[in-house]
Amino acid sequence: PFAVVLLDEIEKAHPSVLNLLLQVFDEGRLTDAAGTPADFRRTVIVMTSNLGARARATIGFGEDAASAARDVARAVREHFPPELFNRIDRVVPFAPLGPDTARAIAVKELAQLVTRRGLTERRIFVDVADPVVDVVVREAFDPRDGARPVKRWVEREVGGVLTERIVRDTGAALRRYTVFHGARGIDVHGER
């Protein structure tokens, strides 16, 4: 009975999309060109944006979280027409991801890589040494870019090395690999 609609990077939307949102916020429904209505009365609409984001992700030099939140709210108010801004229930500023969150993301991405169906169906088991997680966080994570580069880095650097090693090995119905960080960077040790 309930739905969530996510409109990512809403600041890039065409003005006609913003006009459609006025209809949704006013009437709780949206009618398409054929006259078919869509009910939004039990819908939470979340709009993400980079409005008010700063080049520096940290708070400092007399600046506090409350003033940063005011700056974000001001940027949102200046971007949207008043009739739309007045229908937004809440502006929620997000803090940059911290080291603990970056580590959790790196662990998740590595776990997804090593448990792919193509590996498990071939009875290939992969362990990742803890120092590899530290390397992923250090090399791939940037608070300004968020978590997106982590997945690409894991795929390219860890997945690439692992793939090369698996392709070189033949035979054995059951194989186990360990991904570790050595003198040459990310490396893989395999055993049958």
Side-chain angles (χ1 to χ4, degrees):
F2 298 99
V4 176
V5 174
L6 172 65
L7 303 172
D8 194 21
E9 297 185 11
I10 190 68
E11 75 275 12
K12 296 177 182 176
H14 191 275
S16 62
V17 173
L18 301 180
N19 289 333
L20 288 174
L21 285 176
L22 285 174
Q23 179 185 357
V24 171
F25 294 159
D26 278 345
E27 301 170 18
R29 64 188 172 97
L30 183 63
T31 306
D32 67 10
T36 308
D39 189 357
F40 281 84
R41 289 178 295 176
R42 290 191 168 101
T43 304
V44 175
I45 298 175
V46 178
M47 300 180 289
T48 67
S49 170
N50 290 320
L51 293 170
R54 300 163 193 236
R56 268 184 2 147
T58 58
I59 296 174
F61 297 108
E63 183 178 31
D64 60 1
S67 69
R70 283 191 300 274
D71 290 346
V72 169
R74 183 179 321 117
V76 172
R77 187 179 319 106
E78 290 171 358
H79 179 77
F80 292 113
E83 59 273 11
L84 180 61
F85 178 78
N86 289 331
R87 287 169 176 81
I88 296 173
D89 290 335
R90 187 173 307 153
V91 175
V92 181
F94 286 91
L97 300 177
D100 291 340
T101 306
R103 185 171 179 76
I105 291 167
V107 167
K108 178 182 176 236
E109 291 300 330
L110 287 165
Q112 286 179 342
L113 175 75
V114 302
T115 58
R116 287 185 178 167
R117 195 176 83 211
L119 295 174
T120 57
E121 284 178 353
R122 291 176 178 89
R123 296 191 310 190
I124 296 173
F125 301 95
V126 183
D127 293 319
V128 178
D130 281 340
V132 172
V133 176
D134 298 329
V135 171
V136 171
V137 172
R138 185 175 62 246
E139 298 291 326
F141 182 75
D142 183 347
R144 292 174 303 199
D145 297 332
R148 288 185 178 125
V150 174
K151 183 173 187 156
R152 287 190 301 268
W153 195 94
V154 166
E155 185 69 36
R156 185 181 64 244
E157 301 297 329
V158 179
V161 172
L162 181 61
T163 301
E164 288 175 14
R165 178 58 193 257
I166 291 170
V167 168
R168 274 186 300 173
D169 289 347
T170 57
L174 180 65
R175 288 182 275 170
R176 179 180 203 88
Y177 293 97
T178 303
V179 178
F180 65 96
H181 184 254
R184 296 180 301 162
I186 301 296
D187 208 347
V188 177
H189 170 75
E191 57 188 59
R192 295 180 178 162

